[in-house]
Amino acid sequence: MRIECEAIVVGVRPHGEHGAIVRLLTAGHGLLAGYVRGGRSRQLRPVLSPGNNVKADFRARVETQLAALTVEPLKARTSLLGEPLAAAAIEWTTALAAASLPEGQPYPRIYAALDAMLTAIESAPSARAWVAALVGYEKVVLAELGYGSSEDGAEATFVALAANGRRLAQDVLTERRARSLDARDRLVERLARALS
């Protein structure tokens, strides 16, 4: 098996002394995991930061084997991690994709929504400009996973965030995956302080 594609880094976990298991969201193949040799090195750590766009090359002898993965940077967003609201938003949005999506099933709308969300964070001068994209991203995730969502754009932002949060906690991020909701709680709390 060999897959070459553009992807968004949504999760990284150390593996062994120097390697990392990296989870990437792709448009055509969905969520994929691979082992990056030297993934914890000084050179690759910034490339494998959640929220970055990379060119990925997955290689495995059989589909059931964890693929060897090589990555090349396409768009780095590591500079945003120094800003608390942007960092919290990147942490939550990538964690949502990593925790809620099954591996190997394409969700091109979720990929596009996450990419648009990350681009909005990158280009906006403040959270006011990207908070609507956050609500839209969560709604796309809920809708694509079959839980429906309101398309009423007139909803107040925090009312929509509260409704999305309830649906995510109740239907999508249950049991073990509920830990990723902590990142969302931190983000919503920071947004409430910043936008009030």
Side-chain angles (χ1 to χ4, degrees):
M1 174 198 86
R2 183 169 185 192
I3 297 173
E4 291 181 274
C5 58
E6 291 187 15
I8 300 170
V9 179
V10 295
V12 179
R13 191 174 76 225
H15 186 75
E17 279 188 47
H18 306 288
I21 295 177
V22 180
R23 298 181 84 202
L24 301 176
L25 182 61
T26 70
H29 303 281
L31 191 64
L32 296 175
Y35 175 76
V36 177
R37 174 181 242 142
R40 293 170 42 199
S41 70
R42 207 175 277 167
Q43 178 185 2
L44 284 177
R45 252 190 330 241
V47 174
L48 297 176
S49 181
N52 285 351
N53 290 69
V54 296
K55 180 180 177 188
D57 185 0
F58 293 90
R59 295 175 190 229
R61 288 188 186 121
V62 292
E63 281 191 32
T64 56
Q65 177 185 29
L66 179 65
L69 171 62
T70 57
V71 295
E72 294 177 25
L74 293 177
K75 179 171 240 161
R77 294 185 174 96
T78 50
S79 62
L80 297 172
L81 300 180
E83 301 172 29
L85 270 174
I90 291 170
E91 179 186 13
W92 161 242
T93 55
T94 56
L96 176 57
S100 64
L101 301 180
E103 290 203 16
Q105 293 185 21
Y107 288 96
R109 285 190 64 217
I110 294 176
Y111 177 86
L114 177 58
D115 194 44
M117 174 66 202
L118 294 168
T119 300
I121 293 169
E122 187 176 30
S123 59
S126 74
R128 285 188 200 285
W130 55 256
V131 71
L134 172 65
V135 172
Y137 169 68
E138 290 180 344
K139 285 182 178 184
V140 168
V141 171
L142 286 165
E144 288 292 300
L145 293 177
Y147 296 104
S149 63
S150 168
E151 296 301 323
D152 182 9
E155 285 183 305
T157 300
F158 286 98
V159 172
L161 283 172
N164 288 350
R166 284 191 300 276
R167 294 301 305 267
L168 288 165
Q170 177 184 351
D171 298 325
V172 178
L173 299 174
T174 58
E175 298 168 10
R176 239 185 36 208
R177 298 182 294 174
R179 288 187 297 235
S180 58
L181 285 170
D182 293 342
R184 186 182 193 280
D185 293 341
R186 285 191 297 275
L187 171 60
V188 172
E189 183 180 306
R190 287 177 180 169
L191 283 169
R193 283 195 307 259
L195 300 180
S196 60

